[in-house]
């Protein structure tokens, strides 16, 4: 069982991004934060902002989780990293986020979440960190964190336990999907083993590249 080290939300701010603004600058907030099933292109967290609705937010990417342990791996290169700096809504401890299976269900405080997909790095991420080559660096590390959908809304706050309520058993993890999509195309066909737990947009990519 892991726990929520921090709950983080962000407001829109000017950024070198396709939309001209970004909500990637997430900051820890005190007290409980309500998490709900969002409208298309919106965040699942109250008080959080999504600017790039094409790649973030909505039902399948309502919440983004990243492990504190993985943030720590980047500190020798980037320096001290506060919770939320990678744009994550939930910074976790004691939970293997990248090793979670697609479709895995987490009970987090009063909320039930389901793992849907890895985060794919973009130029906005690199611009925010002001690091040349950051997309390559992040991709090579293979620690993308996970997007989640909201199955049961409710409040979440720092210190809440994170319990894995269901693991599908197909063995296809967030990390597997990330590597197959970005660095190891030979693994793409293996993602189909996730069945209905594979997002349609990922399934389409797999089938398109296999054709």
């Amino acid at each position: 069982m892991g726990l929520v080290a921090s709950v983080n939300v962000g407001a829109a701010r000017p950024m070198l991004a396709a939309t001209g603004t970004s909500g990637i600058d997430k900051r820890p907030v005190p007290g409980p934060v309500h998490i709900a099933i969002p409208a298309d292109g919106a965040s699942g967290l109250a008080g959080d902002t999504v600017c790039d609705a094409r790649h973030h937010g909505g039902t399948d990417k309502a919440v983004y989780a990243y492990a504190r342990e993985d943030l720590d791996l980047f500190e020798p290169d980037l320096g001290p990293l506060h919770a939320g700096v990678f744009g994550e809504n939930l910074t976790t401890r004691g939970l293997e986020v990248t090793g979670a299976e697609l479709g895995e269900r987490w009970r987090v405080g009063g909320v039930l979440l389901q793992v849907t997909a890895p985060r794919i790095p973009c130029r906005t991420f690199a611009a925010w960190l002001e690091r040349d080559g950051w997309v390559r660096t992040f991709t090579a590390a293979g620690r993308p964190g996970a997007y989640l959908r909201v199955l049961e809304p409710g409040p979440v706050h720092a210190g809440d336990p994170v319990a894995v309520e269901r693991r599908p058993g197909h063995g296809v993890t967030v990390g597997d999907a990330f590597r197959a999509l970005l660095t190891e195309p030979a693994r793409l066909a293996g993602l189909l083993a996730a069945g209905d737990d594979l997002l349609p947009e990922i399934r389409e990519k797999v089938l398109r590249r296999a054709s």
Side-chain angles (χ1 to χ4, degrees), residues 59-132:
T59 303
D60 294 330
K61 298 177 181 178
V63 180
Y64 176 48
Y66 203 80
R68 179 69 248 183
E69 293 85 350
D70 290 343
L71 283 175
D72 293 343
L73 293 176
F74 290 103
E75 286 196 335
D77 181 38
L78 297 178
L81 298 173
H82 66 77
V85 71
F86 277 15
E88 78 273 15
N89 300 116
L90 302 180
T91 309
T92 66
R93 283 193 183 277
L95 188 70
E96 182 48 68
V97 177
T98 297
E101 288 188 5
L102 301 180
E104 192 169 292
R105 296 184 178 187
W106 299 351
R107 176 65 64 179
V108 185
V111 179
L112 184 63
L113 303 173
Q114 184 175 38
V115 176
T116 59
R119 183 253 195 91
I120 304 299
C122 61
R123 287 182 296 174
T124 301
F125 193 13
W128 161 235
L129 293 179
E130 299 181 333
R131 302 285 293 191
D132 291 337

Side-chain angles (χ1 to χ4, degrees), residues 61 102 116-121 135 139-140 142 144-145 147 172-192 197-210:
K61 298 177 181 178
L102 301 180
T116 59
R119 183 253 195 91
I120 304 299
V135 170
T139 299
Y147 281 118
V172 180
T173 69
V174 169
D176 292 332
F178 185 75
R179 290 187 293 273
L181 290 167
L182 295 184
T183 63
E184 301 178 36
R187 300 172 63 119
L188 281 168
L191 300 185
L192 297 176
D197 292 319
L198 191 66
L199 287 186
E201 65 185 74
I202 297 179
R203 181 182 302 278
E204 290 173 7
K205 289 181 180 179
V206 172
L207 297 176
R208 185 166 61 247
R209 294 186 189 183

